[in-house]
Amino acid sequence: MGITRMVAKRSTCMRRQVGALIVKDKRILATGYNGAPSGLKHCEEVGCIREDSNIPSGERHELCRGLHAEQNAIIQAARHGISIKDSILYCTNSPCVICAKMIINAGIKEVIYEEGYNDPLAMSLLEEAGIKVERFRE
């Protein structure tokens, strides 16, 4: 989880720094952190749409310039042709419902997270899909 926290430090999100790792057979396959898509200005430069609009955490995910750490890790693996089927996703925060659906379709078999994120539907979908979800405790 220490590496996941380190990856989170690269985040350009003004509200929450999140990091993710995808691991298989004790090897890191991909990393991701939350921030704007490649080549676009970061929220640090142009401001936060969510803050400016007073959007509470966990609502209206589509109103954000950034991608979530889990999304970026999955995209990086796909971009480089790396299969993440049957892998484990480590994340500093539990996934939102959008990330949960991507995790399910990517074939990730387990999610280990450090901090909770209030999204009961995400946890329900992961459970229904048979994905093991565990909170990391040192």
Side-chain angles (χ1 to χ4, degrees):
M1 197 55 77
I3 296 171
T4 307
R5 286 186 216 111
M6 189 182 318
V7 170
K9 290 179 181 180
R10 293 189 48 87
S11 169
T12 58
C13 179
M14 297 168 64
R15 291 179 119 187
R16 179 189 319 233
Q17 292 189 312
V18 181
L21 296 177
I22 299 175
V23 176
K24 186 173 182 180
D25 299 327
K26 299 183 182 180
R27 297 189 189 279
I28 297 170
L29 302 178
T31 65
Y33 54 88
N34 55 329
S38 298
L40 299 186
K41 290 183 180 179
H42 296 284
C43 299
E44 297 168 328
E45 301 171 78
V46 297
C48 176
I49 296 168
R50 297 177 63 76
E51 280 292 320
D52 295 344
S53 301
N54 294 315
I55 300 169
S57 179
E59 295 179 16
R60 305 293 311 268
H61 296 288
E62 75 280 8
L63 296 177
C64 180
R65 290 181 64 81
L67 291 140
H68 288 185
E70 303 95 320
Q71 294 168 342
N72 270 326
I74 291 167
I75 291 166
Q76 283 305 309
R79 186 172 181 169
H80 295 287
I82 300 167
S83 172
I84 56 174
K85 184 177 183 302
D86 297 325
S87 63
I88 300 171
L89 182 129
Y90 291 83
C91 196
T92 56
N93 290 81
S94 57
C96 72
V97 68
I98 295 168
C99 290
K101 291 184 275 187
M102 289 182 71
I103 288 164
I104 292 164
N105 276 1
I108 293 169
K109 68 176 182 180
E110 184 175 353
V111 174
I112 300 173
Y113 69 94
E114 188 168 42
E115 297 293 325
Y117 181 78
N118 189 21
D119 196 333
L121 181 56
M123 290 300 171
S124 174
L125 292 176
L126 291 168
E127 181 181 339
E128 183 181 341
I131 295 171
K132 181 180 176 188
V133 179
E134 180 182 336
R135 185 163 186 182
F136 176 81
R137 300 194 194 280
E138 286 191 74

